[in-house]
Each structure stands twice: as structure tokens, then as C-alpha cells.
């Protein structure tokens, strides 16, 4: 009895984050000092934080 695999049953959901100024927050990857760093940046006011929920 073959069923669908566990990975095929999961749904992919994207969540959009918004800054207090009304701009959308995008994740960017920066290569700095030999390391990859993920930062969140607002498209409208250009404010940067470590993760999207830090904008609140």
C-alpha cells in the first residue's frame, strides 16, 4: 500500500512582512568577512534589521 510521502503532503506557505512605514520587507543575503549573513530590509525606508519580526 503505497501512499504519498510525508514531504509531498506538506504545503508551502509564504508570509509577507510589512514595515511600520508601509513598505514590504525583503530578505537579502550579504557576504561579509567570509561569512553569509541574512538581513531583512524595508523596500520603502531602507531600514535593515536581522530578521523581519524585529521591525515591530
Amino acid at each position: 500500500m503505497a501512499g504519498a510521502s510525508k514531504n509531498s503532503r506538506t504545503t508551502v506557505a509564504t508570509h509577507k512582512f510589512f514595515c511600520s512605514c508601509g513598505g514590504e520587507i525583503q530578505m537579502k543575503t550579504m557576504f561579509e568577512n567570509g561569512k553569509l549573513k541574512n538581513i531583512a530590509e524595508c523596500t520603502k525606508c531602507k531600514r535593515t534589521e536581522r530578521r523581519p519580526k524585529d521591525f515591530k
Side-chain angles (χ1 to χ4, degrees), residues 20-46:
S20 58
C21 71
E24 187 178 341
I25 297 171
Q26 292 181 337
M27 289 301 292
K28 294 188 177 183
T29 304
M30 305 283 286
F31 189 73
E32 191 174 288
N33 295 332
K35 295 181 181 178
L36 286 173
K37 292 180 83 176
N38 293 320
I39 60 166
E41 183 179 35
C42 175
T43 57
K44 195 172 180 183
C45 66
K46 302 296 182 197

